[in-house]
Amino acid sequence: ELKVEQNPLFLSMQEGKNYTIYCNYSTTSDRLYWYRQDPGKSLESLFVLLSNGAVKQEGRLMASLDTKARLSTLHITAAVHDLSATYFCAVEMERVGGSQGNLIFGKGTKLSVKP
Amino acid sequence: NAGVTQTPKFRILKIGQSMTLQCTQDMNHNYMYWYRQDPGMGLKLIYYSVGAGITDKGEVPNGYNVSRSTTEDFPLRLELAAPSQTSVYFCASSYLISSNQPQHFGDGTRLSIL
């Protein structure tokens, strides 16, 4: 059974600081996704990571994937208040006969960036 | 471009009532999914569909049913509502898995069973 664990679950940061959110998963998968969710809103796709060593960056966020370690990181550089949200990683389940896109989500990391 | 549209946005049901949550997408996506999100938790897959006429169970299918008669629509049915089904329900869709695109989510339906 595929399990996805994120840590920390809660993160309070000061503006301008750097921090990393970790996403560990328990079985083989080559596809990992990061989503952002604002309170009461839907999920917004941030990054799609499709292979070992993949690194993607958008603004102050950078995501990486190490499939051998079954680990993805979401690094926040010089945090700003607008980054306050809950961040989810989701791992695509591998199935016999090919993936059908089923995602297993972590519990999310609630990020609060304070002045 | 509307994307994934869910209706209703909010609903309160009594125990034992039934209802259908509607989901439609206008992106011609083959794959569609229903998730539920409980407070402070990630999303859990209820059912999914890889195309019209084809559906399959996810992690937490008990108490729900789905159908997929068209590419655009993927309704979720609750037959006998129970308090444990109080949750936020999200519908999502994606193109072919080989396209390496993320799932696109609707705005959610907030459902309370009292």
Side-chain angles (χ1 to χ4, degrees):
Chain A
E1 180 186 350
L2 175 57
K3 293 186 178 179
V4 179
E5 292 187 354
Q6 283 182 242
N7 70 84
L9 297 182
F10 298 93
L11 178 55
S12 181
M13 297 177 63
Q14 280 192 312
E15 282 191 329
K17 298 293 187 182
N18 305 332
Y19 208 85
T20 300
I21 298 170
Y22 297 89
C23 175
N24 292 88
Y25 55 98
S26 60
T27 63
T28 303
S29 177
D30 288 335
R31 297 170 185 254
L32 190 140
Y33 304 79
W34 283 95
Y35 286 89
R36 168 182 172 146
Q37 186 179 39
D38 292 301
K41 302 294 186 181
S42 185
L43 279 77
E44 172 192 356
S45 175
L46 294 174
F47 300 109
V48 179
L49 303 170
L50 299 173
S51 60
N52 187 41
V55 177
K56 292 198 173 177
Q57 183 165 5
E58 181 73 33
R60 301 175 187 272
L61 300 177
M62 184 173 70
S64 66
L65 177 62
D66 181 343
T67 58
K68 294 181 181 177
R70 299 177 184 167
L71 171 67
S72 179
T73 61
L74 180 66
H75 187 72
I76 303 156
T77 301
V80 293
H81 179 70
D82 286 351
L83 290 179
S84 296
T86 299
Y87 293 85
F88 291 96
C89 66
V91 179
E92 191 168 307
M93 255 177 50
E94 294 194 347
R95 287 173 172 251
V96 174
S99 171
Q100 292 172 329
N102 293 1
L103 298 181
I104 305 296
F105 280 79
K107 291 184 177 180
T109 296
K110 186 172 183 179
L111 173 64
S112 176
V113 181
K114 301 180 178 180
Chain B
N1 193 347
V4 179
T5 302
Q6 292 183 237
T7 57
K9 293 191 183 303
F10 304 93
R11 185 75 184 267
I12 297 175
L13 282 183
K14 293 183 179 178
I15 295 171
Q17 286 186 318
S18 60
M19 78 163 293
T20 300
L21 282 67
Q22 302 291 345
C23 175
T24 187
Q25 52 91 9
D26 62 358
M27 298 174 282
N28 202 30
H29 284 172
N30 300 86
Y31 292 76
M32 295 188 74
Y33 310 86
W34 273 107
Y35 295 90
R36 61 177 285 172
Q37 184 180 30
D38 297 325
M41 302 292 286
L43 281 68
K44 293 193 174 181
L45 183 65
I46 305 171
Y47 271 95
Y48 68 99
S49 170
V50 301
I54 306 170
T55 63
D56 206 350
K57 296 177 181 179
E59 290 179 88
V60 290
N62 291 344
Y64 307 94
N65 279 300
V66 294
S67 60
R68 184 99 180 266
S69 57
T70 67
T71 299
E72 294 79 18
D73 300 308
F74 189 40
L76 177 72
R77 178 116 180 125
L78 282 70
E79 291 293 350
L80 288 171
S84 61
Q85 294 177 305
T86 293
S87 191
V88 181
Y89 292 83
F90 287 100
C91 178
S93 71
S94 65
Y95 198 42
L96 297 172
I97 295 302
S98 59
S99 70
N100 299 328
Q101 295 297 309
Q103 293 180 16
H104 297 263
F105 285 81
D107 288 339
T109 294
R110 283 150 184 81
L111 180 63
S112 293
I113 315 293
L114 303 176

